[in-house]
Amino acid sequence: MVTETATPIRGTDAYCRQRRLAFALIESLEQAIRIRSQAPMYVGSADDPMENTGPWDRVCQLQDRIRQDPLAMETLAAQKRLMLLTA
């Protein structure tokens, strides 16, 4: 009988690989938040300004990806850093 699990079994190569991906995803979110905090709200000329929504959109996309990744969510919860999902 074979039992399938949603996440790989701890200690296996697959688990370690997914854990590394989860940490990389969290690191990407942290970097995107840093970039967003330094990004201007508007770009372009004073006569024709455009909203600079790219950095904000990137953070939202990464937050959504982390919410769908059980290992990334587990990691943030263990580190008591779930506030990154609302930053």
Side-chain angles (χ1 to χ4, degrees):
M1 182 169 117
V2 176
T3 304
E4 291 188 30
T5 60
T7 57
I9 299 170
R10 293 179 189 267
T12 64
D13 288 340
Y15 178 81
C16 293
R17 190 171 30 260
Q18 283 196 352
R19 180 61 77 189
R20 281 192 299 275
L21 291 173
F23 275 103
L25 191 56
I26 293 168
E27 186 177 343
S28 295
L29 175 61
E30 291 171 329
Q31 182 179 11
I33 290 170
R34 282 192 300 274
I35 290 170
R36 182 190 65 185
S37 69
Q38 297 174 358
M41 290 291 291
Y42 295 94
V43 294
S45 66
D47 297 331
D48 188 25
M50 294 175 42
E51 283 189 54
N52 184 23
T53 60
W56 282 263
D57 292 342
R58 177 75 176 141
V59 168
C60 287
Q61 290 170 353
L62 287 168
Q63 288 171 333
D64 290 341
R65 283 183 58 195
I66 287 176
R67 285 186 190 103
Q68 295 172 2
D69 186 323
L71 291 178
M73 288 296 295
E74 178 184 311
T75 301
L76 286 178
Q79 295 174 347
K80 297 181 177 22
R81 297 184 336 149
L82 288 172
M83 73 276 191
L84 286 176
L85 299 177
T86 58

